């Protein structure tokens, strides 16, 4: 009888790895402050909420963070993931997601621009989208600027056609004056053509239309024409944009932690729909707003 | 005056020759410095022009960055046109990264017809890495138009401020600013003119000052020459300044030679004196050597004497020890003897009592051996009669008395031995908490018995804390002081008062005797080793010296007050806490009243 009991216990300890504690790998694309904030919020919520199971109580659940160095090849990071075999990879940023999906581990992503476009067929990933609902964003802007009618946008159709189309579809009250380009050199000329035609200039996350060379043209256009510039990133507020979409990085980290708990509890990632940021917030550069004599319908904090 | 006479006069005049040389040197120097200064100024001005021109080109490149990137002349025109308003700038040329002209503006239409070799210029700039070209009638300032490298992906647009990327730049075009050389050349000519005028003015002033200064400086010389000329032979005209100076110099040279001869003579005398002094010093040195030898011998003698003294001292210390031991043994013997007397006296009495008891016991024993009852009764009656005769009750009570006396004697002896052990314990330098009051009382028992009986001991012992000290050594001090006290009282009798008290830092033990006191002249020497006022053989004179040494080891103080015929008071003070770092010194205060 004792011998049988011993064998049962021995067998239970020799169960495959899944029976032991969870290993979560947090993969960061770089050292940008938003990444760090989101990662911290993620671990703060996940670790206390992640229960021990069976013999896992012998070893605690572990959470490792790895930051991809500049110039580090994607294959090297994927190899690292394969060697570590974590139960879950949390990819923060585009590079991290690209490396994570090349391995066959479950992935939760966040802070990845246009993440859905990066996912290969048969992926095991879910996450928190970086894009707000354009309808909600423009609704918020219209709440601030009720007289807004015409929105100008310079974009590369190959990159942002769907994005602009979504906005057009979501906001039928607004007229979108589109200026398609194929090269960054065309931005200045296209902006010249928008003079007197629009009430708001929309800067889209388009690598062709937005670059360090062209950003100045947007800011100068905004100041010269007294037209507010609406950007997709709050970084541009400091340089001359009037309005920008902002995200609560910590809140996004918490959303990712909830998704991670679902994945670790056994739900297939591909079966969990990605989440959108819970809150839509528009930040205003008040100084620029004053310079261009912009009046808001509601008080701006 | 003809030229030859003038030349002769100049040749003969020292003043004129110096003046001519000075002025010539100043003119040459001024011209040289002027040329050097003009050259330096020209280079500096050229450098300034280069720097300001290149700064202007750099600013232009930055300002039209967007226009160059977009290759839109309209974007660049406002900046370029404002630049062309500057007088000396006549052309601004902007090229793209393929060296194609995207903007070419002229302010001076006349120059448009000039040979346009900007491609060659750009090749020179690239080859030599020098953006500044100095042409025949113009300067050209080239500067590359750089732009920050584009974002590599969307992440950078969202999360990275572009500041960290500023180091990575990409060439997107060139700007060239052509500036006329006319203002530069005009400025240089003005510079030469101004410098020439300035140098001429300064040179004239310097020559004037030199003439005046030289005239002033040469005035005494001219006076001298005039005097020499007047005192010499011939008329004044016959002497030139140089000739006179030559003669004067020759005379001075002769005087100097005479002086040197005198100095040589003095030097020889000095050497002789040095020789004499040297021989005297040698004699003195010999004397010193002799004295040194004598001193060495004296030193050897003194060392021997010292060794002898040390041996004597050791013997005397031994004698003192033996004397102290003898005194101690005498005290102990006296006390032990008193106690043995109890036993010795009791022993015969006890023997008699035991004899009487044995007789009565024998009588009863004999009665028990009788065969008949009558005989037994008769024997018992005899035994009882004997008991009554000898007083059996008295005998038993006497036994108790005698045994009590013996017990008392034994107890006292035990106590004496215990106190003797306490007194003679060799504590060395081992410090222990010590009860001074108890030590004083136990030490009194060992005081010289010859005088102790005539001395009344008065104790006024205060409540003092225990003190950290070498107890045995401290007892030795107390015994020495008490012995001195009772010996000073002597046969006349008197009192020895022991008082103890303490303050925050020290414990004080005061011994006051009503003895003969210490003579004023003896007072300073009482702690000197071997000093004694006692008769020969009565003391070694080491007692108080030993006391001093022991109290010094305890960092204490001794105060002695004495009046001849009235007595002596010795106060010993011991600190409550010893300072480990303090030197073993005893503060000694002697007061002769």
């Amino acid at each position: 009888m004792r011998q049988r009991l011993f064998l049962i216990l021995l067998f239970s300890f020799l169960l495959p790895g899944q029976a032991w504690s969870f290993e979560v790998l947090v993969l960061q694309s770089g050292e940008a402050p938003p990444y760090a904030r989101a990662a911290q919020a993620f671990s703060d919520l996940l670790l206390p909420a992640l229960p021990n199971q069976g013999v896992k109580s012998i070893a605690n659940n572990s959470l490792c963070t790895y930051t991809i160095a500049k110039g580090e090849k994607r294959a090297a990071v994927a190899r690292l993931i394969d060697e570590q075999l974590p139960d879950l990879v949390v990819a923060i940023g585009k590079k991290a997601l690209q490396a994570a999906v090349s391995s066959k581990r479950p992935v939760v992503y966040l802070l990845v621009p246009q993440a859905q476009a990066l996912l290969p067929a048969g992926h095991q990933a879910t996450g928190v989208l970086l894009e707000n609902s354009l309808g909600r964003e423009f609704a918020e802007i219209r709440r601030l600027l009720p007289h807004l009618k015409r929105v100008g946008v310079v974009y590369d159709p190959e990159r942002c056609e769907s994005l602009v189309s979504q906005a057009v579809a979501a906001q039928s009250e607004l007229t979108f004056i589109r200026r398609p380009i194929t090269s960054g050199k065309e931005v200045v000329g296209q902006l010249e053509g928008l003079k007197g035609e629009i009430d708001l200039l929309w800067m889209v996350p388009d690598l062709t239309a937005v670059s360090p060379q062209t950003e100045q043209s947007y800011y100068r256009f905004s100041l010269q024409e007294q037209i507010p510039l609406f950007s997709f990133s709050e970084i541009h507020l400091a340089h001359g944009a009037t309005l920008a979409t902002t995200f609560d990085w910590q809140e996004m980290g918490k959303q990712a932690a909830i998704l991670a708990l679902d994945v670790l509890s056994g739900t297939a990632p591909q079966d969990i729909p990605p989440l959108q940021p819970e809150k839509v917030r528009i930040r205003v550069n008040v100084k620029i707003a004053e310079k261009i004599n912009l009046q808001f319908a509601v008080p701006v904090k | 005056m003809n030229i030859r006479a003038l030349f002769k006069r100049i040749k003969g005049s020292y003043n004129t020759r110096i003046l001519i040389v000075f002025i010539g040197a100043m003119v040459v120097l001024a011209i040289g410095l002027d040329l050097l200064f003009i050259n330096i100024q020209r280079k500096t001005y050229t450098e300034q022009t280069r720097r300001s021109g290149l700064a202007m080109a750099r600013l232009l490149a930055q300002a039209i960055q967007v226009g160059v990137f977009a290759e839109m002349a309209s974007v660049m025109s406002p900046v370029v046109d404002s630049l062309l308003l500057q007088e000396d700038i006549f052309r601004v040329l902007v090229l793209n990264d393929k060296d194609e002209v995207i903007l070419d503006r002229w302010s001076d239409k006349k120059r448009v017809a000039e040979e346009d070799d900007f491609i060659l210029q750009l090749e020179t700039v690239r080859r030599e890495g020098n953006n500044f070209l100095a042409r025949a009638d113009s300067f050209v300032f080239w500067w590359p138009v750089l732009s920050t490298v584009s974002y590599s992906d969307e992440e950078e647009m969202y999360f990275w401020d572009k500041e960290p990327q500023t180091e990575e730049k990409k060439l997107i075009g060139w700007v060239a600013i052509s500036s006329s050389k006319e203002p530069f050349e005009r400025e240089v000519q003005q510079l030469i003119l101004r410098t020439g005028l300035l140098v001429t003015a300064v040179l004239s002033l310097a020559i004037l000052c030199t003439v005046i200064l030289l005239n002033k400086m040469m005035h005494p010389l001219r006076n001298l020459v005039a005097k020499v000329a007047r005192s010499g032979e011939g008329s004044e005209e016959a002497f030139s300044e140089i000739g006179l100076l030559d003669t004067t110099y020759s005379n001075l040279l002769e005087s100097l030679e005479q002086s040197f001869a005198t100095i040589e003579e003095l030097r020889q005398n000095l050497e002789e004196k040095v020789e004499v002094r040297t021989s005297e010093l040698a004699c003195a040195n010999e004397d010193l050597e002799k004295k040194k030898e004598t001193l060495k011998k004296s030193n050897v003698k003194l060392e021997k004497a010292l060794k002898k003294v040390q041996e004597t001292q050791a013997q005397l210390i031994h004698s003192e020890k033996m004397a102290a031991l003898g005194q101690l043994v005498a005290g102990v013997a006296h006390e032990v003897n008193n106690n043995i007397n109890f036993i010795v006296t009791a022993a015969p009495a006890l023997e008699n009592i035991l004899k009487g008891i044995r007789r009565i016991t024998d009588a009863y024993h004999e009665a028990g051996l009788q065969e008949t009852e009558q005989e037994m009764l008769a024997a018992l009656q005899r035994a009882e009669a004997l008991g009554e005769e000898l007083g059996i009750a008295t005998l038993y009570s006497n036994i108790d008395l005698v045994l009590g006396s013996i017990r008392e004697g034994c107890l006292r002896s035990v106590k004496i031995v215990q106190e003797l052990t306490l007194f003679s314990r060799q504590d060395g330098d081992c410090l222990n908490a010590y009860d001074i009051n108890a030590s004083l009382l136990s030490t009194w028992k060992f005081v010289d018995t010859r005088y102790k009986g005539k001395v009344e001991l008065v104790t006024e012992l205060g409540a003092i804390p225990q003190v950290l000290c070498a107890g045995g050594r401290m007892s030795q001090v107390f015994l020495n002081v008490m012995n001195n006290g009772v010996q000073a009282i002597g046969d006349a009798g008197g009192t020895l008062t022991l008082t103890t008290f303490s303050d925050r830092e020290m414990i004080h033990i005061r011994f006051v005797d009503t003895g003969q006191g210490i003579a004023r002249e003896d007072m300073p020497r009482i702690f000197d080793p071997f000093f004694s006022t006692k008769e020969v053989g009565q003391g070694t004179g080491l007692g108080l010296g030993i006391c001093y040494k022991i109290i010094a080891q305890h960092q204490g103080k001794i105060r002695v007050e004495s009046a001849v015929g009235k007595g002596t008071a010795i106060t010993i003070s011991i600190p409550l806490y010893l300072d480990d770092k303090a030197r073993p010194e005893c503060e000694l205060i002697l007061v002769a009243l």
Side-chain angles (χ1 to χ4, degrees), chain B residues 295-328:
Chain B
L295 276 172
K296 203 179 278 179
K297 286 175 184 172
S298 303
N299 198 24
V300 171
K301 284 180 184 174
L302 279 171
E303 277 179 1
K304 283 180 183 174
L306 181 64
K307 196 175 177 185
K308 201 171 182 181
V309 167
Q310 282 174 342
E311 285 171 2
T312 311
Q313 185 183 358
Q315 285 175 357
L316 281 168
I317 290 168
H318 183 68
S319 300
E320 174 68 17
K321 280 183 183 173
M322 295 310 291
L325 184 63
Q327 189 180 317
L328 187 65

Side-chain angles (χ1 to χ4, degrees), chain A residues 135-291:
Chain A
R136 286 163 67 194
E137 281 185 10
F138 276 102
E140 185 65 19
I141 290 174
R142 285 190 66 210
R143 195 173 68 83
L144 293 170
L145 305 168
H147 303 297
L148 184 66
K149 297 289 180 198
R150 300 168 298 170
V151 177
V153 56
V154 179
Y155 69 102
D156 181 356
E158 284 189 11
R159 292 181 183 273
C160 288
E161 184 63 48
S162 64
L163 182 76
V164 175
S165 299
Q166 280 176 36
V168 172
Q171 286 290 328
S172 55
E173 297 87 352
L174 295 175
T175 304
F176 284 87
I177 300 172
R178 303 183 188 195
R179 289 287 184 265
I181 56 166
T182 54
S183 160
K185 292 186 177 184
E186 298 168 31
V187 172
V188 180
Q190 293 294 354
L191 288 175
E192 289 287 313
L194 286 173
K195 284 182 178 175
E197 299 289 325
I198 55 173
D199 304 320
L200 177 81
L201 179 61
W202 178 25
M203 187 194 279
V204 289
D206 183 331
L207 278 173
T208 307
V210 178
S211 66
Q213 299 87 8
T214 58
E215 279 172 17
Q216 294 300 322
S217 312
Y218 286 94
Y219 305 141
R220 198 172 58 193
F221 177 89
S222 171
L223 289 171
Q224 284 178 349
E225 300 300 314
Q226 303 273 293
I227 296 293
L229 172 65
F230 170 49
S231 170
F232 57 90
S233 170
E234 63 182 314
I235 285 174
H236 298 136
L237 285 175
H239 300 294
T242 319
L243 306 158
T245 307
T246 64
F247 299 94
D248 187 335
W249 312 118
Q250 289 172 326
E251 196 59 41
M252 292 172 84
K254 288 176 186 173
Q255 285 180 283
I258 292 163
L259 291 176
L261 285 169
D262 287 345
V263 173
L264 291 171
S265 65
T267 310
Q270 58 273 23
D271 295 340
I272 305 171
L275 301 175
Q276 277 195 328
E278 284 187 349
K279 295 173 187 171
V280 174
R281 290 196 304 184
I282 304 292
R283 273 188 70 189
V284 178
N285 185 334
V286 180
K287 282 187 181 176
I288 298 287
E290 286 175 1
K291 295 272 182 195

Side-chain angles (χ1 to χ4, degrees), chain B residues 112-128:
Chain B
V112 176
E114 287 180 9
E115 186 188 0
D116 195 3
D117 58 346
F118 68 86
I119 294 296
L120 290 175
Q121 288 179 30
L122 189 55
E123 279 176 8
T124 307
V125 167
R126 281 177 174 148
R127 190 175 58 247
E128 297 177 2

Side-chain angles (χ1 to χ4, degrees), chain A residues 13-56:
Chain A
F13 275 96
L14 292 176
L15 280 172
Q18 287 82 350
W20 294 88
S21 57
F22 291 118
E23 287 184 13
V24 179
L25 175 65
V26 177
L27 202 60
Q28 280 185 211
S29 284
E31 292 179 344
Y35 296 160
R37 264 180 251 155
Q40 186 63 47
F42 174 83
S43 63
D44 286 350
L45 182 67
L46 180 79
L47 286 178
L50 196 62
N52 286 340
Q53 294 176 41
V55 291
K56 277 182 215 165

